[in-house]
Amino acid sequence: MAAGGTATPEDAPDRTRLVVLVSGTGTNLGALLEAAQDPAWGADVVGVVSDQAAAGALGRARAAGVPTDVVPLDAHADRSAWDQALTQAVLAHEPDLVVLAGFMRLVGPAFLARLGGRVVNTHPALSPSFPGVRAPADALAYGVRVTGATVLLVDEGVDTGAVVAQTAVPVLDDDDVASLHERIKAVERPMLVDVVGRMARHGWSTSPTNPRKVLLP
Ligand code: GRF
């Protein structure tokens, strides 16, 4: 697949190389790893990179035989040095597409300069509502009756990139943060698998009249 979001089906005789960034338990990574077992899905997870050495997601990657790297923020002099180290760790796997799947840090300018346009994030809210790392809690506190999950292209903002796909989830009267987040994750995983597979197989583009509108063939 061509880099930069302009791939076409005829570009894709080879399987798309995915690098997945994680910080947590990695159920979204697990769904991607499972999908990649089907040759028809069109992509392979060729590397997993985390900012957290203890992330459960790393165990899932190792069990699947996928190379892992850990790039902790506090092991670097400053955020810029970390940004550059993270960028190099990801580039080493020669990705076509990068997936932030529960990666709980903002990527920086160096990362976006080299990889921007081919990075997607999954966020547990209906963007642009509730950006940031507390989205299910914020939705609950606000009192909305519907929230959900969003796959978006990553830009320099906090969950501000162009929306690729969304799924709505009702907020129930007896929800707490954990129950709401689990129901969101139950729709988030298949949506991420579907979207990443379609991007891998067919590429994507943005509307010529509205760069915030992502078109999946
Ligand atoms: C997901 O809901 C993701 O959107 C959010 O953190 C959660 C990660 O879950 N940023 P997991 O680690 O993939 O299980």
Side-chain angles (χ1 to χ4, degrees), residues 149-170:
T150 302
V151 177
L152 45 107
L153 292 177
V154 173
D155 65 10
E156 64 284 348
V158 180
D159 301 315
T160 53
V163 169
V164 183
Q166 292 185 304
T167 304
V169 173

Side-chain angles (χ1 to χ4, degrees), residues 22-30 57 60 100-104 121-125 132-133 136 149-150 181-182 184-185 188-189:
V22 293
S23 300
T25 58
T27 62
N28 282 284
L29 171 65
R60 294 178 193 265
L100 310 189
F103 187 64
M104 305 306 272
N121 180 33
T122 178
H123 179 60
V133 297
T150 302
H181 197 175
E182 279 310 312
I184 293 170
K185 287 174 69 170
E188 189 177 18
R189 289 186 289 264

